[in-house]
């Protein structure tokens, strides 16, 4: 593909402010004579006519010991144009937070070797961008666009990623790919479903080898890939496909996904979050994890959550949602049962348990906000002495409000008088 096409595609796709930043990198990298490339999904997204996501740059190392080429360029650009640079020394990477607030990542080119399947790779700086591209997951993610100096816009596509995009397929770079790193099986499904592609025959043939090494993957790494999936609009289709391939069961036998889960997950798009005053803060991770575990026993679910090494908050919320049984429909009983749980747990239960939806909706939209007007200070003003009874009385007032037996402050005070006189 000619040089000019990617240059023009970048100019057309990127808003002016993003393009201006890239021009600043182009200039500085040329001044310092540092070959620099846009990598990751940028070339892929341009070819698919999608807005590129994060701008990820790779800077070629000066020699095999130069593990700070990326941070060096990031610092030089920020010195000239402002913004902040955070360096991650262990990875030879840096993030430039531009004055406009956009993070742009600068990595040093590197090669990888695997001590054993599913291990984290050993990395060394690479003096060739091709070495860096050869460690990537799929052909369409192994394209790079040069951005320094006059070569701006030149594309490198050593694995014919463009052909695979046109053939609408996800293709690994070599025969050991999924075995080396079975997180790629999760990634393959993510791209396949996001773009409506299929797995190439080579990729398909490696699925059994990938499945065999999934048990050796750390919980954190599988969870990270699942979380990337949870963030996608077609997450249910991805999870169903992973289930079909056996990847969920290989991760932990308690994880599964079927049509019933898809239906419940789809209901998540229309949760009345405004009524619940939870706009923008729905526990998507907890809810989808909970759905993955809906067929498991509580003990199996806990074991699976441990396998995925989830945070304590998520583990507790997911278990609470899975194990919830509402035994009474009396508002104060519902509130007493749900108040100790996190909102993620209650929302998870709402998605998971249609039989409790009505009560959970009332709790989320109204009951959890109901309070007595009387406070501890009011009780003191009534001449009562602070002590363990205070909490009981205040809860009693809140319960009375919830259950409709009082509706104003006078009613509350009457109740307090009754209780204190008879006690
Ligand atoms: P998108 O999902 O749109 O590709 P992203 O930023 O979510 O974007 P990341 O998961 O951050 O994608 O990965 C960025 C790039 O890193 C990928 O394009 C790929 O080249 C490479 N990469 C990530 N994970 C792996 C892996 N397990 N094996 C090889 N390469 C990987």
């Amino acid at each position: 593909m000619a040089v000019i096409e990617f240059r023009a595609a970048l100019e057309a796709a990127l808003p002016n402010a993003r393009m201006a930043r890239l021009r600043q990198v182009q200039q500085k990298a040329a001044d310092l004579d540092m070959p620099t490339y846009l990598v990751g999904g940028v070339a892929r997204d341009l070819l698919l006519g999608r807005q590129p996501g994060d701008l990820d740059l790779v800077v070629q190392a000066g020699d095999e010991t130069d593990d700070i080429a990326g941070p060096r360029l990031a610092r030089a650009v920020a010195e000239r144009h402002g913004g902040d640079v955070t360096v991650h020394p262990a990875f030879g990477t840096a993030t430039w937070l531009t004055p406009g607030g956009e993070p742009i990542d600068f990595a040093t080119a590197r090669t990888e070797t695997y001590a054993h399947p599913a291990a984290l790779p050993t990395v060394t700086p690479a003096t060739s961008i091709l070495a860096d591209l050869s460690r990537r997951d799929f052909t369409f993610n192994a394209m790079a666009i040069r951005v320094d100096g006059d070569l701006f816009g030149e594309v490198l596509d050593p694995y014919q990623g463009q052909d695979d995009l046109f053939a609408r397929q996800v293709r690994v770079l070599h025969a050991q790919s999924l075995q080396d790193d079975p997180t790629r099986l999760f990634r393959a499904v993510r791209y396949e479903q996001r773009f409506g592609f299929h797995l190439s025959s080579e990729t398909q043939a490696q699925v059994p080898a990938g499945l065999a090494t999934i048990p050796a993957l750390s919980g954190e790494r599988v969870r990270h890939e699942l979380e990337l999936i949870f963030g996608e609009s077609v997450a249910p289709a991805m999870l169903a496909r992973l289930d079909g391939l056996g990847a969920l069961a290989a991760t932990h036998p308690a994880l599964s996904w079927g049509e019933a889960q898809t239906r419940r997950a789809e209901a998540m798009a229309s949760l009345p979050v405004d009524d619940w005053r939870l706009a923008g803060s729905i526990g998507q991770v907890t809810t989808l994890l909970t759905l993955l575990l809906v067929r498991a026993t509580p003990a199996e679910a806990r074991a699976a959550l441990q396998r995925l090494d989830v945070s304590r908050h998520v583990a507790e919320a997911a278990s609470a949602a899975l194990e919830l049984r509402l035994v009474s429909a009396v508002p104060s009983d519902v509130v007493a049962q749900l108040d100790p749980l996190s909102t993620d747990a209650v929302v998870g239960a709402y998605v998971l348990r249609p039989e409790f939806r009505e009560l959970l909706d009332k709790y989320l939209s109204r009951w959890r906000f109901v309070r007595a007007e009387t406070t501890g200070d009011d009780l003191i003003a009534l001449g009562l002495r602070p002590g363990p009874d205070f909490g009981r009385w205040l809860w009693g007032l809140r319960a009375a409000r919830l259950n409709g037996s009082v509706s104003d402050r006078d009613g509350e005070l009457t109740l307090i008088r009754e209780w204190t006189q008879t006690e």
Side-chain angles (χ1 to χ4, degrees):
M1 188 165 282
V3 167
I4 196 67
E5 289 183 35
F6 270 89
R7 182 192 293 249
L10 274 170
E11 278 166 355
L14 295 183
N16 289 344
R18 294 189 93 188
M19 194 61 206
R21 295 296 168 206
L22 218 44
R23 293 283 184 208
Q24 292 168 351
V25 175
Q26 173 187 19
Q27 187 59 50
K28 188 47 82 181
D31 293 350
L32 298 175
D33 200 14
M34 300 178 92
T36 302
Y37 298 83
L38 269 173
V39 294
V42 177
R44 176 200 74 203
D45 288 341
L46 289 175
L47 286 163
L48 291 173
R50 294 176 160 235
Q51 179 61 228
D54 295 342
L55 297 181
D56 292 330
L57 296 163
V58 164
V59 185
Q60 229 165 251
D63 60 50
E64 271 98 44
T65 62
D66 176 17
D67 55 5
I68 54 162
R72 211 163 53 240
L73 180 58
R75 281 212 181 95
V77 177
E79 256 165 44
R80 172 82 180 74
H81 299 286
D84 294 311
V85 173
T86 314
V87 177
H88 317 283
F91 303 100
T93 61
T95 304
W96 175 35
L97 188 64
T98 68
E102 180 183 5
I104 299 182
D105 283 336
F106 290 71
T108 308
R110 57 197 206 184
T111 53
E112 282 181 355
T113 45
Y114 290 85
H116 58 82
L120 278 175
T122 313
V123 300
T124 41
T127 52
S128 158
I129 181 71
L130 292 176
D132 191 286
L133 296 179
S134 74
R135 71 184 174 84
R136 294 184 179 261
D137 47 5
F138 307 112
T139 59
F140 53 56
N141 282 342
M143 294 187 274
I145 306 172
R146 189 145 181 177
V147 294
D148 55 294
D150 294 340
L151 295 172
F152 189 99
E154 186 181 82
V155 70
L156 288 180
D157 183 10
Y159 301 94
Q160 289 78 50
Q162 297 187 59
D163 293 347
D164 289 322
L165 285 176
F166 293 127
R168 308 182 69 76
Q169 61 181 1
V170 183
R171 189 160 63 87
V172 286
L173 305 195
H174 58 84
Q176 266 71 51
S177 183
L178 295 189
Q179 179 186 330
D180 278 351
D181 180 353
T183 63
R184 292 175 185 155
L185 186 47
F186 294 79
R187 301 178 63 80
V189 165
R190 185 156 63 91
Y191 293 118
E192 178 197 54
Q193 299 297 315
R194 184 203 287 172
F195 298 138
F197 283 11
H198 60 273
L199 302 185
S200 75
S201 52
E202 300 92 323
T203 312
Q204 189 69 48
Q206 289 183 31
V207 169
L211 291 175
T213 49
I214 285 179
L217 267 184
S218 73
E220 190 195 344
R221 294 191 68 208
V222 200
R223 194 189 68 240
H224 176 68
E225 293 302 329
L226 285 176
E227 285 173 358
L228 289 177
I229 287 174
F230 293 167
E232 302 260 351
S233 59
V234 293
M238 295 171 181
L239 295 168
R241 175 74 162 130
L242 285 172
D243 187 84
L245 289 172
L248 295 180
T251 304
H252 192 279
L255 297 168
S256 70
W257 194 274
E259 271 176 36
Q261 278 114 315
T262 292
R263 275 198 303 279
R264 287 182 197 174
E266 279 165 359
M268 282 171 64
S270 53
L271 295 179
V273 287
D274 290 333
D275 292 351
W276 298 346
R277 302 184 217 172
L278 283 178
S281 60
I282 282 294
Q284 181 100 347
V285 170
T286 306
T287 309
L288 287 167
L289 265 179
T290 312
L291 282 174
L292 278 165
L293 292 167
V294 71
R295 294 187 199 144
T297 64
E300 287 166 348
R302 282 172 191 273
L305 291 165
Q306 211 167 9
R307 160 72 177 111
L308 294 175
D309 201 14
V310 303
S311 70
R312 222 169 93 184
H313 169 81
V314 170
E316 281 174 6
S319 293
L322 286 160
E323 292 168 31
L324 184 72
R325 304 269 176 283
L326 288 177
V327 287
S328 155
V330 174
S332 61
D333 290 345
V334 174
V335 169
Q337 204 180 340
L338 297 182
D339 261 9
L341 307 185
S342 63
T343 35
D344 284 352
V346 183
V347 173
Y350 180 92
V351 173
L352 200 67
R353 318 291 297 274
E355 69 274 30
F356 297 140
R357 242 172 227 178
E358 207 182 311
L359 287 174
L360 293 170
D361 177 53
K362 283 182 178 151
Y363 172 78
L364 284 165
S365 56
R366 297 207 314 272
W367 294 345
R368 69 196 179 103
F369 302 113
V370 172
R371 294 279 180 277
E373 268 177 69
T374 309
T375 64
D377 286 345
D378 295 328
L379 298 184
I380 292 170
L382 285 175
L384 298 168
R385 204 170 310 137
D389 286 340
F390 266 41
R392 205 160 46 82
W393 288 331
L394 292 172
W395 163 249
L397 292 178
R398 188 172 173 219
R401 281 258 174 177
L402 280 161
N403 299 338
S405 55
V406 291
S407 56
D408 58 18
R409 198 177 141 80
D410 285 347
E412 289 181 10
L413 291 177
T414 310
L415 266 185
I416 285 287
R417 280 192 206 97
E418 276 173 25
W419 291 339
T420 51
Q421 275 159 21
T422 54
E423 280 183 17

